[in-house]
Amino acid sequence: MKMIDTVPAAGAEKARRGFAHVDTWIFDLDNTLYPHEAQLWPQVDERITLFVCDFFGMDGLSARALQKYYYNRYGTTLRGLMEEQGIDPRDFLAFAHSIDYSLLAPDPALATAIGALPGRKLILTNGSRGHAEAVAERLGIGAPFEDIFDIADAGFVPKPEPATYASFLDRHGIEASRAAMFEDLPKNLAEPHRLGMTTVLVLPKTPDPFRELHEQEEVVASHIEYTTRDLSGFLVRDTGIGRADAGP
């Protein structure tokens, strides 16, 4: 797998919008704001499988297969269970996010980098507010963020559905053309780019054994303007914020 540090996304050099005009900074949560070494997402993933096991009374392999079917068809396992089984999403989220956060260490560099950004900072996640708050608290990055827009705020319609972004922008009065979006999944950047946001794909610094290889590789796509494996470094060095020569 090709490893990179911080570069403009391939093929996007001429189309990059830059950051000098940005007054709203939007961050995904899972696998974007914290490193995979914290092993949070594998725990959530395992809890989702267990929920499916218990709900249907099936073995682990069958539950795993059904879980992935729902994810691929509906965008999240939760959405699939809601559509096909009518489950209570709050019960599901409480179960899925009942995890151990102790391996997640404070990240002072990231806290400083986010805090130094001019304008508003928000989290937009397909997870729950409680999960996002727990992550932000452990990382020590909660203070700069104005709010968290979670899956319940989105009516349990996950990214990358256009309605989710529209609801988020409307609730917070955000002008998309003056916003930047940071995400670990390329598909979740397509709609932000179409709306006019500057887009940044955040990849793991080192290979993540708990994710598919295709989710960790550089993606060549017009809707991905920048790619980085070092979020805090990117915010400090590559946005151009505070530099005299910064431009759109």
Side-chain angles (χ1 to χ4, degrees), residues 29 93-94 97 101 125-133 148 150-152:
L29 181 77
L93 291 169
H97 291 141
Y101 294 90
T125 176
N126 279 346
S128 68
R129 178 177 293 269
H131 175 58
E133 289 174 341
I148 296 164
D150 74 347
I151 192 66

Side-chain angles (χ1 to χ4, degrees), residues 45-183:
D45 201 34
E46 184 177 351
R47 296 285 292 174
I48 293 173
T49 303
L50 184 57
F51 184 97
V52 174
C53 276
D54 292 346
F55 185 85
F56 290 97
M58 59 176 55
D59 63 87
L61 287 176
S62 299
R64 186 72 175 173
L66 183 58
Q67 174 186 348
K68 296 310 174 185
Y69 161 76
Y70 282 144
Y71 175 80
N72 291 324
R73 179 170 181 180
Y74 294 101
T76 62
T77 305
L78 170 59
R79 188 67 179 174
L81 288 167
M82 290 176 65
E83 291 288 336
E84 296 196 8
Q85 303 297 329
I87 70 160
D88 184 331
R90 290 169 178 81
D91 290 343
F92 174 94
L93 291 169
F95 186 89
H97 291 141
S98 181
I99 62 173
D100 178 10
Y101 294 90
S102 63
L103 289 180
L104 183 58
D107 192 339
L110 182 60
T112 299
I114 292 175
L117 296 172
R120 307 165 69 191
K121 279 81 75 170
L122 300 108
I123 291 173
L124 172 57
T125 176
N126 279 346
S128 68
R129 178 177 293 269
H131 175 58
E133 289 174 341
V135 168
E137 180 179 0
R138 290 289 301 182
L139 286 172
I141 64 171
F145 284 100
E146 174 184 322
D147 198 9
I148 296 164
F149 189 93
D150 74 347
I151 192 66
D153 294 317
F156 300 100
V157 178
K159 297 176 291 183
E161 290 297 323
T164 297
Y165 300 98
S167 179
F168 167 73
L169 295 173
D170 181 64
R171 170 166 305 187
H172 292 287
I174 296 169
E175 183 181 340
S177 64
R178 298 187 61 83
M181 181 77 198
F182 297 80
E183 257 280 356

